[in-house]
Amino acid sequence: MKIILLQDEKKLGKKGDIIEASEGYARNYILPKKIGVEANAKNMNDLKLHKANEDKIAKEQLEAAKALAAQLESKQVVVKIKAGEGGRTFGSVSSKEIAAACMEQHQLEIDKKKIVLPENLKSFGSYEVAVKLHPQVTGKLAVKVVES
């Protein structure tokens, strides 16, 4: 019996896969537990439409990420931190502070988890910071750390 999986199942396959299962296993385990549905014409068409919709959404998200990356290339974020004697900084600039400054200065909402810092910025100056917007798109943001 052919079955379309509705969720990931360890020994059977991933969501959306079409598998071959014995009649008894399908009727007594897969169908009652709503792990999968029978692969008839209606369900196959629903699966095809669902996959087409997912592809469309993924493409739109990729385009949005590319547009945001292009927007970030032209922006510069200025972050102010306190300085002590001799121009040394108190503390450092983290991804949370960069995200807050980007929202405040340019009204661009960037998740702090998507900002990739090799380490916190502990000195004054200009830096190029990578922003992972999508698995295929990484933008660059100019960050300038100045004394407050």
Side-chain angles (χ1 to χ4, degrees):
M1 174 180 241
K2 287 193 183 268
I3 301 290
I4 300 172
L5 294 177
L6 298 176
Q7 62 190 36
D8 291 352
E9 189 67 23
K10 203 174 215 176
K11 295 180 182 176
L12 296 175
K14 297 204 177 278
K15 179 180 178 179
D17 286 352
I18 299 171
I19 61 164
E20 186 70 38
S22 68
E23 188 84 20
Y25 186 60
R27 297 225 182 273
N28 294 319
Y29 182 75
I30 296 174
L31 297 176
K33 292 198 176 219
K34 306 268 192 269
I35 296 171
V37 293
E38 189 175 347
N40 57 25
K42 179 195 176 297
N43 291 338
M44 294 291 281
N45 191 34
D46 288 347
L47 175 66
K48 188 171 95 175
L49 292 173
H50 192 279
K51 283 189 177 183
N53 188 35
E54 284 180 350
D55 290 343
K56 180 183 171 197
I57 290 171
K59 188 175 181 181
E60 288 173 356
Q61 288 175 343
L62 178 63
E63 294 300 320
K66 285 181 180 177
L68 184 57
Q71 216 176 7
L72 287 178
E73 298 280 335
S74 63
K75 306 284 185 195
Q76 180 180 23
V77 176
V78 178
V79 180
K80 296 179 181 178
I81 58 173
K82 291 184 181 179
E85 290 181 27
R88 296 183 48 112
T89 62
F90 282 134
S92 62
V93 177
S94 66
S95 60
K96 180 180 178 182
E97 293 164 330
I98 293 171
C102 192
M103 181 63 183
E104 180 183 308
Q105 295 170 19
H106 301 291
Q107 288 70 41
L108 292 175
E109 189 171 341
I110 300 173
D111 187 8
K112 68 179 182 177
K113 295 173 189 162
K114 294 183 178 186
I115 297 174
V116 181
L117 289 175
E119 58 193 41
N120 288 344
L121 309 177
K122 296 181 181 180
S123 59
F124 300 116
S126 295
Y127 300 92
E128 283 269 316
V129 176
V131 182
K132 190 122 175 96
L133 301 169
H134 188 271
Q136 300 170 356
V137 179
T138 302
K140 297 240 184 266
L141 179 64
V143 177
K144 186 172 185 180
V145 181
V146 296
E147 185 177 340
S148 63

